Amino acid sequence: QKSASHSKAVVSTQSTGDNPTEEQLRARKEELAKVDASKYGNDASVEMVWAQKAFRHTEVYFKLISNIECTKLKLTKYDDEIYHQFRIAFPRVPVEVVDEDKLKSVSAKRRWRAFCQLFEYHIDDYNFGTLLRLDCKKTYNEQNTTLVPRVQFLAIEIARNRLGLNMCHFGRGTEKEEEVKDEEKKVDEEKREEESPPVPPPDSTAE
């Protein structure tokens, strides 16, 4: 029953659209206030749903930068505004390799929280925990990822794409497909060899 009411609240708070009225914003805040996060923070099913969604997001995003030139990618309809505000708020923050300690410092968290709230009513799930690669030249793995709010992920990845930093991954999608096809072909050949009848040895008594 708790999960059902929580889901209802989440769905209704995301239905205000990109340009909500004041009345919709008030209703949204009231519904959010009714949701007690402490009741769901340790719920294993909620954690599993988050993990599945986060993992799917990493797969989809890496497939995008592997198959499309990153400089042509548009992640949201607010990319220009996100990038503009990011450069104003964090003009000296490097995006090629992110320093996790600096990113998670008390002062940085405070600044990023204010930045993310600029897009609270424009980006769906703006604060949803999203996996960010620390080094953009590397793929997703445990050592190269950190958890950030979705808007923070968007700001850094939009900057990386506009600077062409993710171009090192372009074409890897095709390479991966070729590797899979080669592996499948190899397996098929081995299977056919196993299924084919053995060739009898030559008769040594025949003249």
Side-chain angles (χ1 to χ4, degrees), residues 21 39 44 47 49-50 61 65 94 99 113 128 149-150 156 201:
T21 64
K39 295 179 181 178
E47 291 180 3
V49 170
W50 170 83
Y61 183 68
I65 60 176
D99 186 319
R113 190 180 301 113
F128 183 81
R150 186 181 181 212
I156 293 173

Side-chain angles (χ1 to χ4, degrees), residues 155-168:
I156 293 173
E157 286 297 338
I158 288 170
R160 286 172 169 176
N161 289 336
R162 296 200 172 194
L163 294 172
L165 298 175
N166 281 325
M167 280 299 293
C168 58

